[in-house]
Structures are given as C-alpha cells and as structure tokens.
Amino acid sequence: MTKTETSRTVATGAGAHIDARVEEALTRMTLEEKAALTVGRDAWTTVPIERLGIPSIWLSDGPTGLRKALGGADMSVGRNMPATCFPTESALGASWDVDLVRAVAGAIATEAQADGVQVVLGPGVNLKRSPLCGRNFEYFAEDPVLSGELAAAFVAGLQERGVGASVKHLTANESETDRMITDSIVDERVLRELYLRPFEIAIAKAHPWTLMAAYNRLNGIYCAENAHLLRDIVEGEWGYRGIVMSDWFAVNDRAAGIAAGLHLQMPYAPTAASVAAAVREGELAQERLDDIVRALLSFVLKADAARRPDTPVDLDAHHRLARRAAGESAVLLKNEGGLLPLEGEALVEVALLGAFAREPRYQGAGSSQVVPARPVETLHDELVILAGSAGRVTYATGYGEDGAVDTALLREARAVAGEASVAVVVVGLPGSYEEEGTDRAHIDLPPGHTRLVEAVLEVQPRTVVVLVNGSAVALPWAARTPAIVEGWLGGQAGGGAIADVLLGRVNPSGKLAETFPGRLEDAPAYLNFPDDGTGRVPFAEGLFTGYRWYDARRIEPLFPFGHGLSYTTFAYGALTVEQSAAPGPDDGERTVTVSFMVRNTGTRAGREVAQLYVRERQPRLQRPDKELKRFAKVALEPGEETEVRFTLDERDFAVYDPRAGAWVITSLVFDILAGASSRDIRTRESVTLAGVPVQRVPLGRLSPLRDWLAHPATRDRLRPMIGALQRQFFGAEAEPPIDGGGSGDVAQSFVADMPIAKLVMFGALSEEDLARLIALSSAS
Ligand code: BGC
C-alpha cells in the first residue's frame, strides 16, 4: 500500500496531520515495535508505543449492543459493562429498514464513545445458508443485497459518530461446527455473487474502518492468511484501504497473514517475534510489513482522534429505540379472520401461555451477549399494562425447563386457554438450542412447546402464537393456527414491542429476511451442512441459497423470503421502466429507472416493504430465477399512495464470470418484478437493455466450435476450416453447422460440440491461427 492510498483512510482535515505523524513514527520504529503493533496487546486492545505517542485503542463486540469487558484481559461472556440490548441482527434484518438499523448502530456508537470503545465488532454479514447455522441470529439475511445494504447502514451509524465498524466474518463462515478448522469449498462465482457481495456493498457504500477475517479456510487456505481473498480481491479489486483484523484466535501463521494482508491479529499471542524473524530472514519483505504498519498507525491515530469520552448517553431513549426496533422487526406471518390486533371482545380475557412470556429469551448466546442496561421487559407485564382496564390477562407456564413436556403444566394451560376469549401462546427456542460455536441439529421447537400449541389449539379456536427465536423454525401446526407473530430475539424491550404489536399500537411491517422451510429436508445445503465429515464444507448448492433454491426446485416454503403481513393492505400500481439516454464515452454506466405506485388500501396507517427482483429471461450462464436488487420501506396513511422509484445499474443485470474474471452481462432481456414478497409479485415489466455491451463468454482452446460459430468476429473465418473437417469425416456433401445452432443432424451437432483445439490436432488450423482467433474474439 502506498502512502497516498493510506491517506484515503484518514478523516479529511485531520488527515494530513495524521499522515505526517504516521510517516514520522514509521521512520523511528524498530522492527520489533512494528511487529508488536500487528498483534493485540490483550483480549481487546492494541499495543501502544508510548515513546512515539502512539496510543492503544479498544475494540468491543457488537452487534446486539456494546459488550465492553470489565478488563482488557477479560474475555468471559456475560461479565461486561451494562449497555442497551437491541434486537439481534436477525430481527433487525426483518425490519428491512436502513434508517432504523442506522439509528440502532448510532445508539450503540454513543454508548461506545461514552465507554471509551473505538471499534465495535460488527455487523455480521454472513448469509443464512442453512437454517441450522447456530449463529444465524447474529446475521441479517439469506440474501446478499439485503445483508449488504443493512450492513452499510450499520457501519454508517457507527462511523458517523466516530466509532469504527468491523464487518465480519470474511468469508464463507456460514456454519459453526469446527469453525476454526473447516474448509469452505466455494466456487469463485458463488463467492462473488453471494458470500462476498455484502462485504463489497458495505465497503463501497460505507467504508468500514475494519473487516474481520473468519476462522475457517476458504478453498484450502485460512481466511486470515488468504492472499487471494485479502490482497487480490479486498485490497486489489475493491480498493479497500482499511484494516483487516483476525477473528479471535483465527491466526495460524502470523507472518503469512501479513504477506496476505491481515493487519491485526487478535487477541494477544506471542507471535510478533515470528514476524520480526521472517523479515530478518528475508521471508517477509520489509516493505510489506511497513505497508501493514502504516495502515495500522493511521487507523489507530484516526480512531484515537475520534474519541468523545464526554458523549452524553440517554439510556431511556435507547430503551425506547430498542422497543421501536423490535416492533418494526416483528413479522406477522399469519392473521386469519383479522384475529389480530386484539381489540374489544378479544381483549376481555387473554390467556397468556408459555414461560417465555415471563422469562423472556431476548438475545443470542456467545460473543454478542450484552448485559442489559435496563430491566428486561416481559410480554406478560407489558400486556397487563397496555390492556389496562380493557382486558384481563391470565397466565400459565405451559412447559418445563428447557422446553420439556410437563403434563401438569400443560393441563393447567389448557384449562386457562379454554376459558379465555383469546389465547396467546409464546413458544420458541431456548438458549441451548441456538448459540455461537454450535450448529443446530434440527429446526424443531422443543417438544414441550409443540405440545403446548397443539393442546391450546384443541380448546381455543382464537389462538395467536408468538415466536421467540433467532432463526427459522419448523411449525407443523401452522395451517391450524389462525395467527402467528414472529417476534425474534427482540432485545431488552422485546416484550413491550410484542405487546405493542398484539394490541395494534404498532402495525407490523417486518418481512422475513430468511425463508421458513416446511421441513428441514427442503432447505438448501441440507445435504452439505455442516460439513462432509472430512472437515470440508462444500457449498454445493452453489448460487441456489435461500429463496433462489426454493424457486429453482419449485418447493413451496412454509413462509417465503420477503413475506410479512400488516393490519392494513397495500395495492401496487403498474410498473414502468425507463432507460437512461445512451451514455457517451465518459458518461459512465447506463441506468434503468423503475417506478410504481404503492397505495394503502386499508383503514390503518402502515408500512410496506416493496421489493424489486430481476430475472434474466435467457441466461447464458446458469442463474437463479430471480434476485433481489432493491427494496424500500414506505409509510402510508389509509388511502395514501406514494411512488417507489429505484435506479438499477449495469451490475444489477450482470453475473460474475470466473473465466473472464469480471462481471458480465450475457443477454439483454430481463423481467423486472416488484411485490410484497419473493412469492407475491404484484407488478412486472420486461426490459431489453439498450446500449449495453453483451459480454460473450471469453473463448479459448477448449471452447466448442458452436461458440466460435456464434461469435460474429470469428464465424466467417472458421466456416471453411470446419467444412473441410466435415467433408473429411462425413463425406463430400456434409455441411458445417450454421452459427452453431442445433440442426437435428448428428454429424453437425458432433462437430459443433468439438473444442476448437481439435481443429489444430487435425491440421485444419495452425496454433498461430488459433491464437489470432482467441485475440479476435476477446477484442470484440
Ligand atoms: C467471534 C467474533 C467476535 C470475537 C470477539 C469470536 O469468537 O466469532 O464475532 O467478535 O469472538 O468476541
């Protein structure tokens, strides 16, 4: 990295000053000091160099709230300074609300500033490749665009308050089993279009100060030492100039990591000596270490300059924000007969069933675990408060410890439910069912929870189920249940937020950011999760993760990606598509503007998440049926309508072709689909891209003659040679294939399938001519 490039990482204004300090420090630092700076001082801080005035900075988890340890060396989970516990990322993902996510991150940053933390370790942008990943609660979505956009908002929310983000875990860390050693086997195209995409979006839009390299290997090489990942793609192609730190204990070979582009090893390990030795022995270039140290110094000084220790924190306001966030994230999965919201008659006697109503599970277990700054709200207490004199709430526990079946508790719950005007059953996943470090074995609820729902359904037709879980679960009783609310792990104010939704104080507007399968066997990656038994994790479903899988396999999910109801209804108007005027040579890309109206056709104010998908009509490379490209959350009063407008650019139509090493558009006709979920498309239009070059698959020695004949630059030159070969083997009158198209003639198809190299073998083409043809094909 050059000095000029580094300067782009520092804040403007303070930038020049910091640059000068960096260069001065670099000239005065010993090799040992440089090596020491590339490894953490303890669990959470960087190494200071006091004689040169280089401070130490503090890093803390993220992303559910601030988890500042009580001491720099203390890594224990659950012994932290109190902080606002927000809904987990899987909940926030379901809000589809970039402004909300930005506000939540802003509040976390405020607390970080007040507590002396310079970097918050989040957001997590791994995709929900399988519902079994034990850490799905800490990730936004199964879709890369939704993940990337929300991540960019999270990063912006932190960094606009002077606190750095760390987008994690780079990359293909989509399972927890043996996470420190597994080898994720992922095709380059799949990597670019799915698993790297959220990082790319977050970097392009929000310039995170840091990224976190994952534990696992990627195609054989540990991410923390992977030069293709860190140097070629992140630094080279994306031009990222921030810091890459390791996940905690992810490093295996420190010197190799520096060569590959890993700036900081966390936490402390006695590895600095190996870095210094590698430089002394000529195994690691001094310039490379200097580049890494230069970036680190710049980062540390920038972070230090952004400290605002006197930042006032309003924990009550943050609690209210946490409640709003949980309410915006709740997803109304089902609401037959308008059972919800509970009003009038329905509210007279509410049977509230399930221990989660009184002992809430509100966050995930592991490194993101926050010590809540305010008493955790319970659905029971908040419902009692909100119902006031309009209704009575009777409660029964319903199930035993860890969700075990308890027949006495079941009997009691059934009796309470039968006498009430409505039953609200709170079920989900106990903490032991989903936690960092362990994958789930199945997606079922605990037996006691399932039995409770079934028992209540037998005696109470007006049953509402509230779900408390960090990731998709199977709901075999869903068809018999009139109303289901997905409440997620809602943070310290999640109980109140669900009460708001049940009573209609909040009109639900969340949409699933992950598909709920009917059964685990229907889910993508089912046969390849968590690994194949040899430590390899084959991402064998390729491009077909999440809804892309269900679309391709024509599988009806229980609830599709993007689904979520409201207490009002929305209508979509006709979609119009407009292409920008043909760009001049320097005008940049051609864009496609899409617009349509959304109207609130019901009687309550509400918010709708309009989703825009793109489908390539006749893809030349295998491609999912549709891909999410844009979304917008709009607030509408009853009867109100608004225009939703998106601008698509060339990348939105392109695929990554690993043979070309580039994003390419391979055909011109696309369907633009807009709607309320991935399976509820309300309006569509097709577009034929104009003025956009169609990138042909680059041709080479092994490309079949059919492709050479389809290429306008090579077609005519090749026809005589192919004709000669045809006549040699199939008789004087044999005709060469025309434009490579299938003619039904076996001889023609046979020849059309041949790699062009065969022409060389049979003397019909010289090596020089082949080289000329390859050059010709790639030039046009
Ligand atoms: C997790 C990271 C976390 C780090 C520090 C690791 O085990 O994977 O997400 O930021 O610990 O707590």
Side-chain angles (χ1 to χ4, degrees):
M1 195 182 299
T2 66
K3 186 181 159 198
T4 347
E5 285 165 339
T6 308
S7 67
R8 275 192 253 142
T9 70
V10 296
T12 45
H17 175 59
I18 288 179
D19 269 0
R21 282 186 64 192
V22 167
E23 291 309 316
E24 204 221 318
L26 203 59
T27 52
R28 293 176 57 197
M29 280 168 85
T30 64
L31 176 59
E32 282 66 29
E33 281 171 334
K34 289 177 181 172
L37 193 67
T38 70
V39 185
R41 173 171 68 173
D42 49 27
W44 305 113
T45 67
T46 61
V47 168
I49 308 170
E50 272 146 29
R51 76 179 183 91
L52 300 175
I54 305 299
S56 166
I57 59 163
W58 194 299
L59 326 167
S60 284
D61 285 298
T64 309
L66 189 69
R67 180 172 84 93
K68 182 167 188 202
L70 299 180
D74 190 348
M75 282 199 61
S76 40
V77 167
R79 243 197 356 246
N80 332 310
M81 292 172 71
T84 306
C85 181
F86 288 97
T88 59
E89 266 194 51
S90 62
L92 292 177
S95 76
W96 295 60
D97 188 336
V98 286
D99 297 330
L100 177 74
V101 168
R102 194 167 179 150
V104 166
I108 295 173
T110 309
E111 295 183 25
Q113 282 287 16
D115 284 351
V117 170
Q118 285 73 52
V119 174
V120 168
L121 306 173
V125 297
N126 299 90
L127 300 184
K128 295 166 202 277
R129 176 177 167 247
S130 162
L132 291 179
C133 173
R135 215 174 172 182
N136 276 355
F137 65 84
E138 236 184 290
Y139 303 135
F140 286 124
E142 70 186 22
D143 178 86
V145 168
L146 180 54
S147 280
E149 294 291 338
L150 296 179
F154 198 106
V155 172
L158 289 175
Q159 296 189 172
E160 63 204 2
R161 282 168 185 75
V163 174
S166 191
V167 186
K168 64 189 187 183
H169 309 87
L170 183 76
T171 186
N173 181 189
E174 264 67 11
S175 50
E176 292 293 287
T177 306
D178 293 334
R179 61 181 173 162
M180 291 204 189
I181 50 172
T182 47
D183 187 5
S184 295
I185 308 297
V186 198
D187 281 356
E188 190 73 16
R189 176 173 172 208
V190 173
L191 206 55
R192 306 293 187 126
E193 291 189 21
L194 293 178
Y195 300 99
L196 284 178
R197 189 75 184 118
F199 291 96
E200 190 185 9
I201 294 172
I203 289 172
K205 290 199 149 178
H207 315 289
W209 291 4
T210 80
L211 307 176
M212 189 188 289
Y215 286 125
N216 51 288
R217 282 178 269 203
L218 171 65
N219 296 324
I221 300 173
Y222 282 108
C223 291
E225 283 121 45
N226 196 314
H228 176 56
L229 175 66
L230 304 182
R231 212 173 43 204
D232 299 349
I233 300 177
V234 173
E235 189 181 322
E237 285 179 35
W238 298 349
Y240 179 65
R241 295 293 176 263
I243 294 301
V244 184
M245 71 176 79
S246 72
D247 198 346
W248 270 230
F249 305 100
V251 166
N252 292 281
D253 179 338
R254 186 64 195 104
I258 289 182
L262 184 88
H263 299 86
L264 180 62
Q265 170 176 10
M266 288 302 294
Y268 166 79
T271 50
S274 71
V275 173
V279 172
R280 263 195 223 96
E281 283 152 29
E283 286 158 14
L284 177 66
Q286 176 71 57
E287 299 71 40
R288 183 65 188 162
L289 178 60
D290 283 355
D291 285 347
I292 292 284
V293 170
R294 183 180 283 116
L296 274 169
L297 288 169
S298 171
F299 156 67
V300 166
L301 291 174
K302 173 173 72 169
D304 186 59
R307 281 177 203 265
R308 301 281 176 271
D310 49 358
T311 300
V313 176
D314 183 345
L315 289 174
D316 293 326
H318 289 184
H319 185 81
R320 288 192 296 276
L321 173 61
R323 182 160 172 161
R324 176 162 80 81
E328 295 286 330
S329 304
V331 182
L332 181 62
L333 293 172
K334 233 188 131 178
N335 193 20
E336 268 171 23
L339 178 53
L340 288 172
L342 302 178
E343 288 166 330
E345 286 295 291
L347 198 53
V348 172
E349 177 94 38
V350 180
L352 182 61
L353 313 163
F356 277 171
R358 273 211 166 144
E359 297 146 39
R361 180 164 175 254
Y362 58 95
Q363 63 174 329
S367 60
S368 64
Q369 215 167 304
V370 168
V371 172
R374 288 282 177 270
V376 176
E377 292 179 355
T378 72
L379 174 57
H380 175 270
D381 292 357
E382 296 302 314
L383 210 51
V384 168
I385 295 170
L386 292 188
S389 56
R392 211 163 76 88
V393 178
T394 47
Y395 168 78
T397 309
Y399 41 77
E401 198 65 19
D402 225 22
V405 178
D406 182 319
T407 38
L409 293 179
L410 260 181
R411 210 174 309 122
E412 183 200 9
R414 212 176 134 99
V416 171
E419 282 161 22
S421 45
V422 67
V424 174
V425 191
V426 191
V427 293
L429 297 177
S432 61
Y433 275 59
E434 48 180 353
E435 57 190 18
E436 179 181 339
T438 313
D439 288 312
R440 290 200 279 165
H442 57 76
I443 56 169
D444 301 331
L445 297 181
H449 291 219
T450 304
R451 288 281 294 279
L452 176 63
V453 174
E454 286 177 341
V456 172
L457 285 173
E458 280 168 21
V459 297
Q460 178 53 268
R462 297 164 67 83
T463 292
V464 179
V465 171
V466 172
L467 295 170
V468 177
N469 48 299
S471 179
V473 285
L475 309 172
W477 35 259
R480 291 179 281 135
T481 309
I484 308 175
V485 176
E486 174 55 80
W488 308 112
L489 303 177
Q492 67 186 39
I498 295 304
D500 292 338
V501 167
L502 293 179
L503 299 196
R505 285 166 48 107
V506 165
N507 187 352
S509 60
K511 303 256 187 180
L512 290 181
E514 59 197 280
T515 309
F516 273 40
R519 43 178 211 145
L520 178 61
E521 292 82 348
D522 289 345
Y526 174 68
L527 295 175
N528 301 294
F529 191 94
D531 60 20
D532 66 1
T534 70
R536 286 158 49 102
V537 181
F539 283 44
E541 71 288 354
L543 296 168
F544 300 93
T545 194
Y547 61 91
R548 293 158 162 85
W549 170 263
Y550 296 88
D551 282 353
R553 303 296 308 266
R554 304 276 188 272
I555 296 171
E556 200 55 47
L558 176 61
F559 296 111
F561 175 79
H563 168 74
L565 306 173
S566 163
Y567 296 150
T568 187
T569 46
F570 300 97
Y572 285 62
L575 188 147
T576 59
V577 177
E578 216 180 296
Q579 297 195 49
S580 61
D586 301 321
D587 295 349
E589 291 191 13
R590 176 175 282 267
T591 56
V592 174
T593 304
V594 178
S595 56
F596 52 91
M597 302 300 288
V598 177
R599 171 189 285 273
N600 181 344
T601 48
T603 52
R604 286 172 188 264
R607 304 182 73 204
E608 168 70 334
V609 177
Q611 303 158 39
L612 192 83
Y613 298 85
V614 163
R615 166 187 293 148
E616 185 171 355
R617 277 277 184 84
Q618 290 185 315
R620 287 174 58 101
L621 299 181
Q622 186 189 45
R623 196 163 183 183
D625 178 61
K626 60 178 170 310
E627 297 161 9
L628 180 79
K629 295 298 175 189
R630 297 283 186 279
F631 57 91
K633 194 161 189 175
V634 293
L636 293 169
E637 294 297 320
E640 195 189 354
E641 68 176 349
T642 190
E643 186 191 56
V644 177
R645 177 177 277 266
F646 299 114
T647 302
L648 298 169
D649 53 35
E650 289 178 16
R651 171 65 84 82
D652 294 312
F653 299 96
V655 294
Y656 186 84
D657 186 341
R659 290 167 300 182
W663 292 87
V664 297
I665 290 174
T666 66
S667 75
L668 294 176
V669 185
F670 290 83
D671 290 328
I672 313 287
L673 315 167
S677 94
S678 64
R679 290 284 171 106
D680 186 7
I681 299 302
R682 304 284 187 85
T683 179
R684 67 178 71 206
E685 189 52 87
S686 74
V687 60
T688 302
L689 301 180
V692 171
V694 173
Q695 304 283 328
R696 293 171 185 283
V697 173
L699 298 179
R701 295 182 70 80
L702 297 183
S703 302
L705 291 174
R706 129 181 14 266
D707 288 354
W708 290 97
L709 286 168
H711 198 300
T714 56
R715 173 189 305 154
D716 294 339
R717 286 167 199 255
L718 271 171
R719 282 181 64 77
M721 300 164 201
I722 295 174
L725 189 76
Q726 292 269 83
R727 284 188 286 280
Q728 186 182 340
F729 287 101
F730 298 103
E733 65 286 0
E735 283 297 325
I738 297 160
D739 290 355
S743 63
D745 179 314
V746 176
Q748 287 193 2
S749 302
F750 186 87
V751 171
D753 282 343
M754 279 188 182
I756 197 170
K758 302 280 181 196
L759 287 189
V760 179
M761 169 180 272
F762 288 104
L765 191 70
S766 69
E767 283 290 355
E768 295 71 34
D769 283 343
L770 176 55
R772 260 193 293 280
L773 284 170
I774 292 175
L776 209 58
S777 75
S778 60
S780 54

